[in-house]
Amino acid sequence: MTFPKLDAEGLWLGRVEREGVGPCVVTLRDGQLFDITSKEAPTVRDILEREDAVNYTRAASGEVIGPLDADHHWLAPSDLQAVKACGVTFAGSMVERVIEEQAAGDPARADAIRTRIGARIGDSLTNIVPGSDAAAQVKEALIAEGLWSQYLEVGIGPDAEVFSKAQVLSSVGYGADVGLHPVSTWNNPEPEVVLAVSSQGEIKGATLGNDVNLRDVEGRSALLLSKAKDNNASCAIGPMIRLFDNSFTLDDVRAAELTLTVTGPDGFEMTGHSSMAQISRDPQDLVAQTIGRHHQYPDGLMLFLGTLFAPTQDRDTPGGGFTHKLGDIVTISNGKLGALTNTVRLSTECPEWKFGASHLMRNLARRGLI
């Protein structure tokens, strides 16, 4: 697959695996990829922790390793950061989470439930500010109608849903396979903006992510969230982190429009969209609910912001909705963040994750970088 074009005005930070060397920190200059791994900042985490991260990335000396579109082995652009995700941050996707719960993971039942309650719930919640008095009144009305759900609680209540999406260093990058747990028969991609946040809670940049979701597993019970979300190769991030500077700010994230395409080996094609303008909770609020005096992340974190996208397009049978087939090619794109493309496999068939934090430390030590 051809690597996507990246905005020439952007300041980019990423990671590639160099054969015979190991994971390397890279940036983009005039169409060329520079390896800027150094003893001063051997990891992406180290750069993002710097107050002068932007100026450092611009000026860091490095080695040219080829043009951006050469055959590089791309890794997720984060390394030592925790990988967290926010759920039910859009009213539209919140409706689908409620339907999943009501259907207990059965896509056939979901279509009937969607027809019965979907529009009513969605219309009731479109302009509700989570945690507000108006939201509390809607909550009481829904309870009276027998429609209350734990998903509505985090969707319009005061507290956001924030969960651990993946283990440190387990995320995959551009061009990699993404994994589905073999038990799942109803699943979908989730196109999201991912924030790069320092240990001090400062948002330093953003990238794209696929929060691969097992709808049947989570639909059976929210207590199965970890099984639905955290499996081998089930988290994709990339292609690179775009650092905040004069050309790209948090306001660009707030206005971001994401496009998702799925192309199947069966000829199936689907296009979807997720508009950050419709998010119910501001990204800054989601960061504040994740990191602060109540919870620290010494190496920073990557934070998925949630998605508006919840596919209902039938793929095989009427009323059956969408689910992945092995071999699906998924692309999440945005004009200012590039594109993240991955191929869907079973988690048991994706390359095993064997390179953890201890392996990275040993590798850097052998290279004289720590």
Side-chain angles (χ1 to χ4, degrees):
M1 55 186 71
T2 302
F3 195 82
K5 292 182 179 179
L6 298 180
D7 187 346
E9 292 186 358
L11 181 59
W12 300 94
L13 190 61
R15 295 168 67 238
V16 298
E17 176 83 18
R18 295 185 65 184
E19 187 174 357
V21 178
C24 297
V25 181
V26 296
T27 191
L28 180 64
R29 297 170 184 164
D30 297 324
Q32 296 291 318
L33 212 56
F34 277 73
D35 179 352
I36 60 171
T37 317
S38 69
K39 196 165 187 176
E40 185 177 3
T43 66
V44 168
R45 176 268 179 203
D46 291 314
I47 293 177
L48 295 181
E49 286 298 305
R50 298 177 63 101
E51 292 184 5
D52 64 342
V54 168
N55 290 336
Y56 176 86
T57 303
R58 283 204 179 104
S61 59
E63 174 190 353
V64 177
I65 59 174
L68 179 66
D69 58 1
D71 188 21
H72 304 291
H73 178 184
W74 289 94
L75 304 173
S78 56
D79 40 45
L80 295 178
Q81 297 91 337
V83 184
K84 309 290 287 188
C86 300
V88 203
T89 53
F90 291 81
S93 63
M94 176 171 53
V95 171
E96 281 301 307
R97 297 292 86 77
V98 174
I99 292 170
E100 285 173 13
E101 183 182 47
Q102 296 277 338
D106 182 349
R109 289 181 59 197
D111 189 55
I113 295 169
R114 187 177 296 112
T115 300
R116 180 170 63 87
I117 69 169
R120 179 167 45 161
I121 295 176
D123 292 343
S124 299
L125 299 174
T126 300
N127 297 312
I128 293 295
V129 176
S132 66
D133 290 341
Q137 293 174 11
V138 170
K139 174 180 176 179
E140 293 303 318
L142 290 168
I143 290 174
E145 294 179 17
L147 294 177
W148 187 244
S149 160
Q150 57 204 336
Y151 294 105
L152 295 175
E153 175 63 42
V154 296
I156 65 174
D159 299 313
E161 178 191 18
V162 183
F163 58 91
S164 294
K165 169 59 185 178
Q167 303 306 302
V168 171
L169 284 170
S170 70
S171 302
V172 299
Y174 174 88
D177 292 339
V178 289
L180 303 172
H181 195 293
V183 302
S184 177
T185 59
W186 185 25
N187 40 68
N188 64 267
E190 292 193 348
E192 305 190 21
V193 173
V194 185
L195 299 180
V197 184
S198 76
S199 64
Q200 300 304 305
E202 183 180 356
I203 306 172
K204 306 300 278 280
T207 184
L208 300 171
N210 185 354
D211 178 13
V212 179
N213 183 42
L214 310 183
R215 300 189 70 176
D216 46 0
V217 175
E218 185 179 354
R220 280 161 45 206
S221 171
L223 298 180
L224 293 173
L225 180 65
S226 180
K227 184 168 187 173
K229 292 292 189 178
D230 185 6
N231 298 293
N232 183 45
S234 66
C235 177
I237 302 176
M240 301 178 77
I241 296 168
R242 183 168 183 176
L243 297 179
F244 287 167
D245 61 5
N246 291 335
S247 72
F248 183 68
T249 69
L250 188 58
D251 283 338
D252 290 296
V253 170
R254 292 183 175 112
E257 300 285 332
L258 273 59
T259 298
L260 175 138
T261 60
V262 177
T263 304
D266 56 351
F268 175 86
E269 293 186 0
M270 178 178 70
T271 300
H273 301 277
S274 185
S275 173
M276 285 293 296
Q278 297 185 47
I279 198 168
S280 302
R281 301 181 190 270
D282 187 73
Q284 191 75 64
D285 174 57
L286 292 171
V287 170
Q289 292 211 31
T290 305
I291 183 172
R293 186 63 188 87
H294 63 290
H295 201 312
Q296 295 79 50
Y297 294 90
D299 293 313
L301 67 139
M302 304 296 291
L303 184 64
F304 282 72
L305 294 180
T307 185
L308 177 65
F309 177 73
T312 59
Q313 178 180 338
D314 292 337
R315 183 166 194 172
D316 292 319
T317 59
F322 169 85
T323 194
H324 271 307
K325 291 185 183 294
L326 301 184
D328 280 351
I329 296 175
V330 179
T331 297
I332 299 165
S333 61
N334 169 267
K336 294 193 174 184
L337 292 173
L340 173 64
T341 299
N342 302 96
T343 302
V344 176
R345 308 290 184 199
L346 293 178
S347 288
T348 49
E349 295 178 353
C350 293
E352 291 186 0
W353 172 44
K354 294 182 177 181
F355 195 88
S358 64
H359 303 84
L360 176 60
M361 294 302 104
R362 293 188 186 99
N363 175 272
L364 294 175
R366 284 196 300 270
R367 294 156 62 185
L369 295 171
I370 58 173

